Amino acid sequence: MFESLKILFHQGKQYIPDVTTTDVPGVFRGRPVISDANVDESALVDLCPTGAISANPLSIDLGRCAFCGECMFACPQKISFTKDYHISANDRGALVVRAGDERPIVVDPDKVRAEVRRLFGRSLKLREVSAGGDGSCEMELNATGNVNFDIGRFGVSFVASPRHADGIVLTGPISENMAEPFLDAYNAVPDPKILILAGTDAISGGIFDGSPAINRGVLDGLKVDLYVPGNPVHPLTFINGVLSMLGRKNR
């Protein structure tokens, strides 16, 4: 026991004490800020590989944004990216950031289903489905459970079977071959079930949008409870989005 305490003393706490306020080290692109500078907006629209940028007024759809930063490099006086990782929302329209709008992106509590907070507020089991993903979002979701982020301390964890889950976390653009397996997993989750779209590909199809190799029609008629932007999703973005949906505070 003495040796264990000595190791703890030397190493310190490995977990992030407060996942809602901690800073992200290194290079990270979170919520963008669009200034009122006069620039050629059409050039920025043409530059975006995923069609996330629109003009008049200039706006960036984080549900389509690849966070590549090319728009910022081309026009730094107009577009910059902050390190704000609180960019999850339960309203698809809230992911659109417009020029001059520096309001934070939040989960609207009035749009959260009452049964979600009542039944899953203290314990939430999720089944992740990779529907043609490239593995990046999947790895970041795995990282939510490591010793640093430790999503398990909030009663949230990933399980192996949808029959043991309360909801589905979908990653990937939904390839044709994964459309039916995704629906099978979704339908296997007991009601009331939740659906979280994690990553640009899952939210909009990303760079694969419009490809005949994907089938996004399977989402028609399904209630999406949370959109988590990112390419890939950052663990702090996912954790804070889920906590906001559940009405939980960092403890």
Side-chain angles (χ1 to χ4, degrees):
M1 180 178 178
F2 177 76
E3 289 298 321
S4 298
L5 291 175
K6 185 169 66 173
I7 292 173
L8 180 62
F9 174 78
H10 286 291
Q11 292 184 345
K13 295 180 179 179
Q14 291 181 281
Y15 70 92
I16 299 172
D18 190 343
V19 295
T20 64
T21 60
T22 188
D23 293 328
V24 179
V27 178
F28 171 74
R29 299 187 187 107
R31 179 178 56 82
V33 173
I34 307 174
S35 73
D36 294 326
N38 292 323
V39 299
D40 183 2
E41 296 186 359
S42 61
L44 288 173
V45 172
D46 295 337
L47 180 65
C48 184
T50 59
I53 300 179
S54 300
N56 300 318
L58 195 73
S59 64
I60 301 177
D61 182 355
L62 298 188
R64 303 186 67 87
C65 181
F67 293 87
C68 62
E70 289 300 318
C71 57
M72 177 183 65
F73 301 144
C75 199
Q77 72 273 28
K78 185 65 176 179
I79 298 175
S80 61
F81 283 84
T82 70
K83 286 194 172 186
D84 183 5
Y85 46 81
H86 295 85
I87 53 177
S88 297
N90 53 349
D91 181 354
R92 181 66 179 85
L95 299 182
V96 179
V97 178
R98 296 175 175 83
D101 186 3
E102 297 189 18
R103 292 176 298 178
I105 299 173
V106 298
V107 173
D108 188 347
D110 295 332
K111 294 184 178 180
V112 178
R113 289 180 290 154
E115 59 267 28
V116 169
R117 292 188 171 182
R118 177 170 54 86
L119 296 175
F120 309 136
R122 292 183 176 273
S123 176
L124 177 65
K125 308 301 179 185
L126 299 169
R127 173 68 167 99
E128 197 274 328
V129 175
S130 177
D134 61 5
S136 59
C137 279
E138 293 79 1
M139 287 191 291
E140 294 301 307
L141 291 177
N142 282 340
T144 63
N146 68 22
V147 69
N148 298 117
F149 300 107
D150 191 17
I151 196 174
R153 62 181 135 157
F154 305 110
V156 182
S157 62
F158 288 91
V159 295
S161 171
R163 298 187 184 279
H164 299 161
D166 305 310
I168 295 290
V169 179
L170 176 69
T171 58
I174 314 181
S175 61
E176 185 65 50
N177 289 340
M178 280 301 299
E180 185 175 348
F182 158 65
L183 281 181
D184 288 343
Y186 178 82
N187 291 328
V189 177
D191 291 326
K193 65 191 77 177
I194 67 173
L195 176 60
I196 300 174
L197 302 187
T200 298
D201 289 348
I203 296 174
S204 66
I207 61 174
F208 306 102
D209 186 32
S211 169
I214 66 175
N215 179 6
R216 299 192 56 79
V218 295
L219 291 176
D220 294 344
L222 300 186
K223 165 64 177 176
V224 179
D225 294 278
L226 188 65
Y227 300 93
V228 187
N231 190 44
V233 168
H234 195 282
L236 289 174
T237 303
F238 183 81
I239 293 173
N240 279 278
V242 171
L243 292 181
S244 296
M245 179 185 65
L246 298 178
R248 294 282 303 277
K249 296 181 179 180
N250 181 71
R251 296 182 61 185

